Amino acid sequence: MALSTHESFTGEITTGELSPCVPGQTGTASTREEADGPGGERTLVSGFKQMKLEKEAQKNWDLFYKRNTTNFFKDRHWTCREFEELRACREFESQRLVLLEAGCGVGNCLFPLLEEDLNIFVYACDFSPRAVEFVKRNPLFCPERCCAFQCDLTKDDLKTNVPEGSVDVVTLIFVLSAVHPDKMKLALQNISRVLKPGGLVLFRDYGLHDHAMLRFKAGSKLGENFYVRQDGTRSYFFSKEFLAELFADAGFQSVANDYVLRETVNKKEGLCVPRVFLQSKFTKPDQSDSS
């Protein structure tokens, strides 16, 4: 079984385990991939198909959740460990933290957060109506502590469901990569409107040259660092420079922006492959800072 080209991380790998790689035991590309270069560099998807993929983006993610229901990703219990701001950003100990999980999927990040922190309220949205329904059906879902709704971050105004300037922290975890690069700034501007001045965006997503990127075959490339999977869902692979410029253009200031390198071992297949993620933190400037 091959490693998934969808997200994986410590504790989330369904086809292998994390451990140090054995020297000389590395994943090898297929002959087709080697001939075409990393990520099928020589072949671009036609403009007509790209327009179709954009138009059907929501349908393709809905079908993804129809096929996989709540079983594809494991719960992200690593979130608080990797982003200590989820605990540390309170102004006083008893403050009720307000979060927006942009791109909540079926709740793999949401529900561990609600269990770990009882003094938290989460707005959770996703592009897929089916994913949002899975969230609402979860036994841990509590309307007093969570508001879940469907939203296209690139065009649906978040203020319809989230009061303007009310959110302390936004999580963008393996979400922005699914958005067309031309529309990423729109999503960030939308998020900024509901984030408090001084509030944080916690970001984690695919990094440039991640193994998932190198596995794409010819005919999968949509544009620079942008690819389509066999199921029609798409993924962008971020460089630090691109992400920093993207957030700066949307009015954010960088706090941290670094690659996270991992080695994933699939013992059954005897593969050891490099994973590259980008983990970053950005803040919305206070009015006093921007003046």
Side-chain angles (χ1 to χ4, degrees):
M1 184 182 297
L3 287 166
S4 167
T5 56
H6 288 277
E7 165 213 351
S8 63
F9 183 63
T10 307
E12 295 195 11
I13 298 169
T14 58
T15 58
E17 299 175 9
L18 272 176
S19 64
C21 285
V22 178
Q25 187 183 40
T26 57
T28 57
S30 67
T31 303
R32 176 78 173 275
E33 287 174 301
E34 290 173 343
D36 291 321
E41 293 290 338
R42 296 182 184 176
T43 308
L44 290 177
V45 171
S46 69
F48 173 79
K49 185 176 180 182
Q50 292 208 38
M51 290 177 61
K52 187 172 186 288
L53 287 168
E54 178 67 21
K55 183 178 180 180
E56 297 179 351
Q58 184 182 80
K59 183 184 78 171
N60 288 331
W61 276 108
D62 232 31
L63 289 172
F64 170 85
Y65 287 111
K66 182 180 181 179
R67 287 189 302 271
N68 297 288
T69 65
T70 60
N71 300 318
F72 194 84
F73 302 116
K74 292 185 178 181
D75 286 346
R76 296 167 178 155
H77 293 284
W78 50 265
T79 310
C80 286
R81 181 182 72 245
E82 293 290 322
F83 292 113
E84 60 184 20
E85 289 82 0
L86 289 170
R87 290 195 178 99
C89 68
R90 287 181 168 87
E91 295 180 14
F92 48 92
E93 189 174 350
S94 61
Q95 178 185 353
R96 191 186 199 195
L97 206 62
V98 178
L99 265 70
L100 166 64
E101 190 185 359
C104 63
V106 297
N108 298 108
C109 178
L110 166 65
F111 293 115
L113 285 176
L114 290 173
E115 285 186 295
E116 290 185 32
D117 193 334
L118 299 180
N119 197 21
I120 195 172
F121 183 89
V122 182
Y123 292 99
C125 67
D126 199 88
F127 192 27
S128 164
R130 192 182 301 271
V132 174
E133 283 305 308
F134 279 126
V135 168
K136 292 180 177 179
R137 292 177 196 168
N138 191 299
L140 296 175
F141 180 76
C142 175
E144 286 74 32
R145 300 190 62 208
C146 177
C147 172
F149 57 97
Q150 191 276 333
C151 179
D152 178 347
L153 292 171
T154 67
K155 66 178 183 180
D156 298 333
D157 192 347
L158 280 167
K159 298 198 306 297
T160 303
N161 292 280
V162 185
E164 184 173 4
S166 66
V167 174
D168 297 296
V169 180
V170 176
T171 58
L172 266 177
I173 300 177
F174 295 100
V175 173
L176 202 60
S177 56
V179 176
H180 193 289
D182 291 347
K183 296 184 176 182
M184 289 178 183
K185 183 178 177 181
L186 295 174
L188 296 182
Q189 290 172 330
N190 197 5
I191 287 168
S192 179
R193 287 191 281 270
V194 298
L195 188 63
K196 292 179 179 178
L200 281 172
V201 177
L202 305 180
F203 174 95
R204 191 181 186 114
D205 219 318
Y206 299 109
L208 196 62
H209 305 308
D210 178 56
H211 178 68
M213 175 181 175
L214 303 181
R215 287 182 69 245
F216 282 108
K217 296 183 180 181
S220 302
K221 189 173 183 182
L222 303 172
E224 186 176 5
N225 305 330
F226 193 39
Y227 298 86
V228 60
R229 304 182 182 95
Q230 290 184 350
D231 63 4
T233 61
R234 300 169 298 175
S235 185
Y236 186 86
F237 295 84
F238 292 92
S239 69
K240 290 170 55 174
E241 295 76 14
F242 176 86
L243 191 72
E245 184 176 351
L246 179 67
F247 270 86
D249 287 347
F252 290 91
Q253 294 178 348
S254 178
V255 177
N257 187 26
D258 294 297
Y259 293 110
V260 175
L261 306 180
R262 294 288 186 267
E263 289 176 331
T264 301
V265 174
N266 183 326
K267 293 181 178 179
K268 184 177 180 181
E269 297 293 328
L271 293 177
C272 176
V273 296
R275 300 311 307 266
V276 183
F277 305 119
L278 192 56
Q279 183 164 303
S280 312
K281 303 166 190 176
F282 299 91
T283 186
K284 177 180 176 178
D286 285 313
Q287 291 181 348
S288 57
D289 294 337
S290 58
S291 62

